[in-house]
Amino acid sequence: MNRVVVLRTSLLLLCLLLPQLSVAQEVGIPALTVQDNADGGQTYTLTLQVLALMTLLTLLPAGLMMLTAFTRIVIVLSILRQAIGLMQAPSNQIIIGLALFLTFFIMAPVFDRVYQEAISPYVDEEIEIQQAFAKAQQPFREFMVGQTRETDLDMFMKISGTKEIESAEDIPFSLLVPAFITSELKTAFQIGFLIYIPFLVIDLVVASVLMAMGMMMLSPMMISLPFKIMLFVLVDGWALIMGTLASSFYV
């Protein structure tokens, strides 16, 4: 009985959809249309532009992590948590949230330039999508070049066999992105090393005192943890860390 009901329902839906399918077949929606402009450029259909935009959105998380200040910030915050000795506080969600909003704060001038020079003119139909992409790359390129070490850039140039580049605008993204990421990792670990030193000193002092008192069975981490938290609070550690990270991109 249930099969008969399902079959009748399916036939009814098919009858209802047949007129819609016939209309869609008669009208037709071109998926790809390229129109030549008078100035020699090309204009793509809205369907293709939406498809390209949705494809780019899938790469947005990778771009946010690799082309901005996010990498340096999240590594430093993770090293800070480990240096204090708190494995779960702050949690990974809080660290990522702090890194994300601090990244938005640091990258605000870059995002504003991208919107004013690329997104807004494209929305107003003043420039084409190819010009919008080219204009959007320039602010990110300037930011990344300012944070990239010449030694890292030279290393990737030698690996790829690229000849000498005259200006920063001639650096291809295939070289600039890995060089920028490598420089960010170096800078993040350097900052993390400087953060680790005072907490390491506290661990050594506590361990030495416990050894001298013969309390070798007591974990030094258990005793040093309150002192490290107290030191971090007394020196206003969060303000120092956030201020140092933000200012490190503008030196």
Side-chain angles (χ1 to χ4, degrees):
M1 183 64 180
N2 293 332
R3 294 182 178 178
V4 175
V5 174
V6 172
L7 181 59
R8 291 180 178 177
T9 306
S10 301
L11 291 175
L12 178 61
L13 291 175
L14 183 60
C15 293
L16 292 175
L17 290 175
L18 280 176
Q20 302 296 331
L21 294 175
S22 61
V23 172
Q25 185 175 4
E26 292 177 0
V27 176
I29 300 177
L32 173 59
T33 302
V34 181
Q35 181 180 359
D36 295 331
N37 299 329
D39 56 355
Q42 292 179 337
T43 302
Y44 299 93
T45 57
L46 182 60
T47 306
L48 184 61
Q49 294 179 15
V50 172
L51 178 62
L53 180 61
M54 297 301 294
T55 304
L56 291 176
L57 288 178
T58 60
L59 303 176
L60 184 60
L64 179 62
M65 290 187 294
M66 299 289 101
L67 305 180
T68 63
F70 183 84
T71 301
R72 182 189 305 185
I73 297 170
V74 75
I75 291 177
V76 171
L77 294 179
S78 300
I79 293 176
L80 171 65
R81 182 178 63 180
Q82 187 173 1
I84 296 176
L86 299 172
M87 296 296 102
Q88 300 296 330
S91 62
N92 292 331
Q93 292 84 352
I94 295 177
I95 288 180
I96 293 175
L98 287 173
L100 186 62
F101 282 100
L102 189 57
T103 300
F104 288 152
F105 171 77
I106 295 171
M107 300 295 296
V110 178
F111 293 155
D112 289 340
R113 283 191 56 191
V114 171
Y115 178 78
Q116 295 175 2
E117 298 178 5
I119 299 178
S120 181
Y122 174 71
V123 172
D124 296 337
E125 298 182 355
E126 298 177 359
I127 59 176
E128 300 178 359
I129 189 170
Q130 297 92 336
Q131 297 175 339
F133 277 122
K135 290 181 178 294
Q137 289 180 4
Q138 189 61 28
F140 283 99
R141 180 186 298 274
E142 294 178 1
F143 172 79
M144 295 166 65
V145 169
Q147 304 298 325
T148 303
R149 293 180 173 86
E150 294 183 1
T151 55
D152 297 329
L153 187 59
D154 293 339
M155 177 186 67
F156 285 100
M157 289 176 59
K158 292 179 181 178
I159 294 175
S160 62
T162 304
K163 299 181 180 179
E164 185 177 356
I165 299 175
E166 298 181 356
S167 62
E169 297 181 354
D170 299 331
I171 302 175
F173 254 69
S174 59
L175 292 179
L176 183 57
V177 172
F180 170 74
I181 297 172
T182 305
S183 298
E184 286 295 285
L185 292 174
K186 288 182 180 180
T187 304
F189 277 91
Q190 288 176 355
I191 298 175
F193 172 75
L194 296 178
I195 293 174
Y196 220 109
I197 290 178
F199 300 108
L200 180 61
V201 171
I202 294 177
D203 288 334
L204 292 176
V205 171
V206 172
S208 300
V209 171
L210 292 178
M211 289 274 297
M213 297 176 62
M215 304 174 65
M216 293 178 293
M217 299 300 295
L218 185 61
S219 175
M221 292 293 296
M222 184 182 302
I223 305 300
S224 62
L225 180 58
F227 291 99
K228 291 190 288 187
I229 295 177
M230 181 182 64
L231 174 64
F232 190 71
V233 172
L234 289 177
V235 299
D236 198 6
W238 286 114
L240 290 175
I241 295 297
M242 295 299 179
T244 301
L245 286 173
S247 61
S248 65
F249 289 94
Y250 296 103
V251 176

